[in-house]
Amino acid sequence: MRLIAATALLTILALPAVAADWKSDYKVVRFGVLSSENEKDRVARYKPFEAYLKKTLGVDVELFTAGNFDGVIQALAADQIEFAFLGSSAYAAAYTETNGGVIPLLTAVQEDDSTGYFSVITVRCDSPYKNIEDLKGKVLAFADPDSTSGYAVPNYNLVQQGYEPSTYFSATPFSGSHEAGVQGVVNGQFDAAAAYINNEKSGIPQRMVSKGMIKEGEVCNIWMSPEITSGPFTARANLPAELIADMRAALKAIPEADPAAHKEMTGAENSTAKGYVEVDHERYQWIVDMRAWLKAQRKS
């Protein structure tokens, strides 16, 4: 009996050391953010979250950005960063690139309890374009090859609806980011551009209005996709389980632990994200399958 009690006591005493062990191997924890908006605003938006993580995890934390989505995906694959906020398609790309070496942890939940968003095609409101038929022979800008709402979903769904982008439009360039695409529409560089919205209050166009980049009522959506599963906050699968658990807990707690950082990170005044829910890979398998379909179409 004494032996059992002593063993139990030793186990309890050892738990804190085990839980904190990852900190001896990871002096710096790095998380990546996709290029949905310009670099300056992207960095500013995630700085409060970076500070929150440093305080909560008790280690240095660094934000990682890249000029395109693939830069963040490759950083995960090369073990250069530990975590990343990914869109659904970027997660699927990372999953494929790493042969299943990434784990989806959490995704955002909105005020209406939805955990999805929508791809939209935007045009200038004062343009003659009111539907996809009006865009025949015009320039439609996609955002990035690894963007869910900015390329994969609109491309896939337009094909299913009978509009093969490569032949229906005069050109389908990549703008580099959602904001650049919408800005290009406003400036007359593109006739239309793919972006995303969470709902009528929150999304890329609404955020650009709140930042003074475009005017209210300057762009309108003329097409919307079926609902897309929100992208996951993702971890490398080869990380210590304790590190993954601590990061998951930190992100899940931020709406109450640091409301200001959470609000800034999710879009400041036009954000409708209220928190996070846990997700698994099965939720995103259809995106993996869609990307495989798109790849096969390009090869053929």
Side-chain angles (χ1 to χ4, degrees):
M1 193 63 147
R2 290 179 180 177
L3 178 60
I4 294 174
T7 302
L9 179 60
L10 286 173
T11 301
I12 293 171
L13 291 174
L15 283 176
V18 172
D21 185 61
W22 66 263
K23 296 182 183 181
S24 62
D25 295 322
Y26 292 86
K27 304 296 185 183
V28 179
V29 173
R30 299 150 298 183
F31 69 94
V33 178
L34 299 180
S35 55
S36 297
E37 60 188 321
N38 67 81
E39 179 77 3
K40 179 181 177 182
D41 290 344
R42 192 179 0 157
V43 171
R45 202 152 62 87
Y46 282 92
K47 276 297 180 182
F49 177 63
E50 183 182 68
Y52 163 78
L53 286 182
K54 287 181 180 179
K55 179 180 178 181
T56 304
L57 298 178
V59 296
D60 285 338
V61 178
E62 292 181 358
L63 169 65
F64 175 88
T65 62
N68 56 33
F69 285 31
D70 192 55
V72 176
I73 294 167
Q74 293 303 319
L76 272 175
D79 288 358
Q80 294 174 347
I81 59 177
E82 284 69 53
F83 301 90
F85 286 96
L86 300 178
S88 295
S89 186
Y91 164 76
Y95 182 84
T96 301
E97 179 72 19
T98 61
N99 294 313
V102 292
I103 304 171
L105 303 181
L106 300 164
T107 196
V109 58
Q110 305 299 316
E111 291 173 350
D112 60 2
D113 292 326
S114 65
T115 55
Y117 63 112
F118 303 87
S119 171
V120 293
I121 291 179
T122 64
V123 299
R124 283 188 63 98
C125 294
D126 59 6
S127 75
Y129 314 128
K130 307 303 177 186
N131 49 51
I132 295 298
E133 287 75 15
D134 293 336
L135 288 176
K136 186 174 183 179
K138 305 302 179 182
V139 178
L140 168 64
F142 290 119
D144 184 284
D146 289 312
S147 172
T148 312
S149 57
Y151 174 64
V153 165
N155 190 18
Y156 177 76
N157 280 279
L158 286 171
V159 170
Q160 304 308 308
Q161 294 169 13
Y163 310 104
E164 169 54 60
S166 63
T167 56
Y168 192 79
F169 306 105
S170 62
T172 52
F174 289 109
S175 65
S177 72
H178 293 79
E179 282 190 350
V182 174
Q183 194 70 65
V185 167
V186 172
N187 296 341
Q189 182 181 359
F190 312 124
D191 296 301
Y196 77 81
I197 63 170
N198 297 308
N199 46 51
E200 291 302 317
K201 296 180 181 179
S202 174
I204 288 295
Q206 298 95 322
R207 184 187 300 164
M208 292 176 71
V209 169
S210 70
K211 294 195 293 187
M213 298 177 66
I214 61 175
K215 298 176 183 176
E216 182 78 44
E218 200 161 23
V219 296
C220 292
N221 304 323
I222 63 168
W223 179 89
M224 186 167 69
S225 74
E227 187 177 37
I228 309 165
T229 303
S230 295
F233 182 66
T234 302
R236 290 186 355 232
N238 60 2
L239 295 175
E242 294 83 4
L243 170 54
I244 292 176
D246 286 351
M247 179 63 92
R248 180 193 283 116
L251 180 58
K252 205 169 186 179
I254 193 174
E256 293 184 3
D258 195 335
H262 176 250
K263 187 174 183 179
E264 185 67 27
M265 177 177 67
T266 55
E269 62 268 20
N270 76 327
S271 172
T272 60
K274 68 176 182 179
Y276 299 90
V277 293
E278 295 188 18
V279 290
D280 57 23
H281 174 75
E282 288 305 310
R283 189 181 182 108
Y284 301 97
Q285 184 58 49
W286 76 273
I287 302 290
V288 176
D289 296 339
M290 180 182 67
R291 285 182 60 89
W293 179 89
L294 289 169
K295 184 177 181 179
Q297 294 302 303
R298 287 195 293 269
K299 285 185 176 180
S300 64

